[in-house]
Every structure is written in C-alpha cells, then in structure tokens.
C-alpha cells in the first residue's frame, strides 16, 4: 500500500523540477559553435584542402595529390624553419615562465604598492604587437636608435640584429615583454586561490618564505603552469608580425620561423598551395606539442587543489 501523500508528491515533483534548474539548453551554445565553425573549422578545412592543390591565388586550384607534402619533407627551408620555431618557443618559455611566475605570486600579495605597479606592468599587454615591434625596431636601429648610445655602455653590440643569435634572442625578448603580463595575470589568479591556511600551518612549523614557495606555492600552481605553458607554446609557434617588422626573417634566413615562411611562400612567391601545406603542418605541430604537454603533465585528469579544504 502506497504511503505517499499529496504533500510528499508535491515535494518530490518540486525536487525533480529543481534538478533541471541551472542546466542551460544546448541552444545557448549554438552562437559560439557557429562562430568557431565559421572562423576556425572552415578556414582550417580549406587550408587542408589547398595543401593538396597547386594554386597561385588567381586561377582555380588544381589538385596535385601529395606533391606539396612530398616537397615539404624534402625542403631544407622547412626543416630550418621548424627548428627555429622550436628554438624560439623554448627560449620564450624559459624566459617568460620563471619571471611571470614570480611576478604573479608577488602580485597576489597584499603589498601597498602592488596595485599601482601591477597596473603599470600590464600596460604592454594593451598595445598591439605591430606597434611594439615598430617601437623596438626603432630603438634597436644601429644607426639612429638608442642602442647606438647605450649598447657600448652595457657591452651590447649596437648591431645586435645583424647576427643570428642576437636577432633570435631579440624577437624572443620582445614577444616576452608584451605577453609576460598575460601569463603573470594567470599566475596571480592561481596564487590567490591557494588556501591561506597552508601558509599559516607552514609558518607555525617554522618554514620560511623560500620553503613555502617550493613546498606550497609551486605544487599548488602545477595546473596553472601547464595552462600557461600550453598558451605560451602555441603563441610562440605563431610569432609572425614581430618577425616581419623587426627582422624580415633575417639576417639571411636565421629568423625565418614557420609562420614567416608560410607568409613568404604564399604572398611573395604566390605559391599558395605550398603555403597552405606549411600552415597545416604548423597546426599539426602546435596541436601535437600541446597534447604531449597535457598528457605528460597530468593536466587532463587534474582535480581541484582546494579539495578537502
């Protein structure tokens, strides 16, 4: 015999109805899905299609099968460009990550001057890459730039852009100068999520600031470091405007990274089919590196660092 009463039925019905509250309908995602499809999926699919074609940008594309891909793997310029892209990415990550991490942890504190200094430090993030590249190109001009006067004082060759090592390091520095505030902001948000009770317990146990940083802050920021690194790697692999304005791939081809090689092939020699092949290879490389980093960092199975707090 059922013991349910109208009141319990009403409560049960309300609970069932309430369980659906807060679950947005799939229709809410349609604008984002359409935007991503139109501006990401469709262009990518078109680039993949053109990578199997011969196209000069004027006439209709002609299907050539795997000719472009066969040429790609035999092209010494592509081999050099992919090596330079990896090198630039490594230098950028090694330069930006420690500085952004330390600045982010510092900016998460309660220092009196923190807000003002943080606002000043984030200004480069508001500027365009083109404007920043033009600014540094003028400053580093060996004939008219500030480097002509200051360089000898600090032991830097005024013609720093005239050698391969100096040009590559300069590109990495300029990119890091602009985007480091973005990664600092990521680390600042992550550091503010670390429970204060952990630091209080460490202080009671006699741990100083250095030990707290290595035993509490760094482990708690592991997932944040992975997120920042993925964004940094993808961003470094797609450096283009900085290279175009500051070095034009030179001296020689010593800063011709994959995006610039793609631009030069497509818009200077009008070999757009082969340029699409380089673009597709760049997508594959960037995606592969991101997946490897996520896989070996454990980011895909991460859990909240505040669990149990």
């Amino acid at each position: 015999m059922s013991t349910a009463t109208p009141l319990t039925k009403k409560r049960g019905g309300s609970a069932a109805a309430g369980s659906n509250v807060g679950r947005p309908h799939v229709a809410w995602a349609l604008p984002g899905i359409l935007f991503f499809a139109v501006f990401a999926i469709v262009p990518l699919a078109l680039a993949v299609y053109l990578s199997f074609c011969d196209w000069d940008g004027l006439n209709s594309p002609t299907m050539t099968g795997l000719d472009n891909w066969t040429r790609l793997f035999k092209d010494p310029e592509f081999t050099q460009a992919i090596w330079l892209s990896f090198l630039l990415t490594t230098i950028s990550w090694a330069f930006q990550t420690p500085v952004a991490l330390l600045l982010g942890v510092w900016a998460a504190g309660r220092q009196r001057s923190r807000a003002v200094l943080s606002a000043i430090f984030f200004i480069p993030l508001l500027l365009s890459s083109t404007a920043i590249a033009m600014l540094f190109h003028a400053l580093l001009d060996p004939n008219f730039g500030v480097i002509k006067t200051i360089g000898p004082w600090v032991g830097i060759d005024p013609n720093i852009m005239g050698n391969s090592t100096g040009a590559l390091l300069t590109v990495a520095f300029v990119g890091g100068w602009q985007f480091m505030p973005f990664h600092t902001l990521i680390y600042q948000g992550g550091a503010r999520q670390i429970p204060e009770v952990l630091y209080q317990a460490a202080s009671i146990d006699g741990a100083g600031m250095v030990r707290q940083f290595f035993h509490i802050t760094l482990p708690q920021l592991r997932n944040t470091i992975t997120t920042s690194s993925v964004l940094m790697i993808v961003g470094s692999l797609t450096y283009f405007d900085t290279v175009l304005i500051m070095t034009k791939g030179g001296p020689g081809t010593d800063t011709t990274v994959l995006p610039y090689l793609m631009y030069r092939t497509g818009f200077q020699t009008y070999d757009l089919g082969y340029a699409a092949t380089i673009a597709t290879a760049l997508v594959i490389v960037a995606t592969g590196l991101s997946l490897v980093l996520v896989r070996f960092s454990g980011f895909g199975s991460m859990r909240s660092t505040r669990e149990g707090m």
Side-chain angles (χ1 to χ4, degrees):
M1 180 176 180
S2 175
T3 58
T5 63
L7 181 59
T8 58
K9 290 181 179 179
K10 182 177 181 180
R11 288 177 177 174
S14 299
S19 63
N20 293 323
V21 175
R23 295 181 181 177
H25 195 271
V26 68
W28 290 98
L30 284 179
I33 294 174
L34 289 175
F35 183 87
F36 182 77
V38 171
F39 293 99
I41 301 299
V42 173
L44 179 60
L46 182 60
V48 173
Y49 166 74
L50 290 176
S51 69
F52 297 98
C53 300
D54 180 20
W55 187 41
D56 60 3
L58 297 176
N59 301 308
S60 299
T62 303
M63 185 67 67
T64 58
L66 296 175
D67 289 354
N68 286 330
W69 289 97
T70 303
R71 172 185 170 187
L72 183 75
F73 292 113
K74 295 180 179 179
D75 188 355
E77 282 192 317
F78 173 76
T79 304
Q80 182 191 34
I82 198 169
W83 161 247
L84 289 173
S85 295
F86 279 125
L87 187 59
L88 181 62
T89 299
T90 303
I91 294 172
S92 299
W93 183 88
F95 166 55
Q96 294 185 51
T97 299
V99 180
L101 175 60
L102 293 175
L103 286 174
V105 172
W106 173 83
R110 302 177 182 234
Q111 301 89 342
R112 180 175 300 179
S113 58
R114 174 191 55 80
V116 176
L117 293 177
S118 296
I120 295 174
F121 181 71
F122 289 134
I123 289 178
L125 190 60
L126 306 177
L127 305 177
S128 69
S129 300
T130 302
I132 291 176
M134 293 179 67
L135 171 65
F136 276 94
H137 185 268
L139 292 175
L140 297 176
D141 188 291
N143 299 313
F144 308 103
V146 177
I147 191 68
K148 180 181 180 181
T149 303
I150 299 179
W153 295 354
V154 295
I156 298 177
D157 183 6
N159 191 26
I160 188 174
M161 302 290 290
N163 62 83
S164 58
T165 302
L168 193 66
L169 291 177
T170 302
V171 171
F173 173 80
V174 172
W177 185 82
Q178 179 183 9
F179 293 108
M180 197 182 299
F182 171 73
H183 297 280
T184 298
L185 191 62
I186 294 177
Y187 286 119
Q188 181 185 13
R192 285 184 174 176
Q193 297 301 313
I194 301 176
E196 187 66 26
V197 65
L198 297 178
Y199 295 103
Q200 294 173 354
S203 298
I204 294 174
D205 291 339
M209 293 182 60
V210 175
R211 291 190 64 185
Q212 290 180 22
F213 176 79
F214 284 102
H215 291 85
I216 297 177
T217 305
L218 276 183
Q220 292 288 314
L221 291 178
R222 179 173 63 90
N223 298 324
T224 306
I225 294 173
T226 303
T227 302
S228 173
S229 297
V230 170
L231 295 174
M232 199 178 297
I233 288 173
V234 173
S236 300
L237 284 173
T238 55
Y239 274 168
F240 169 70
D241 41 5
T242 303
V243 174
L244 174 65
I245 294 172
M246 295 192 65
T247 67
K248 292 183 173 58
T253 58
D254 290 336
T255 57
T256 302
V257 292
L258 280 176
Y260 186 79
L261 178 63
M262 175 187 65
Y263 160 79
R264 195 185 68 189
T265 303
F267 297 98
Q268 291 185 357
T269 62
Y270 299 100
D271 191 355
L272 292 171
Y274 188 55
T277 308
I278 298 174
T280 305
L282 178 60
V283 172
I284 295 173
V285 170
T287 304
L289 283 177
S290 301
L291 292 176
V292 169
L293 183 59
V294 170
R295 172 66 179 84
F296 287 99
S297 65
F299 182 82
S301 58
M302 71 176 184
R303 303 175 68 180
S304 173
T305 54
R306 296 177 63 91
E307 186 172 347
M309 294 296 175

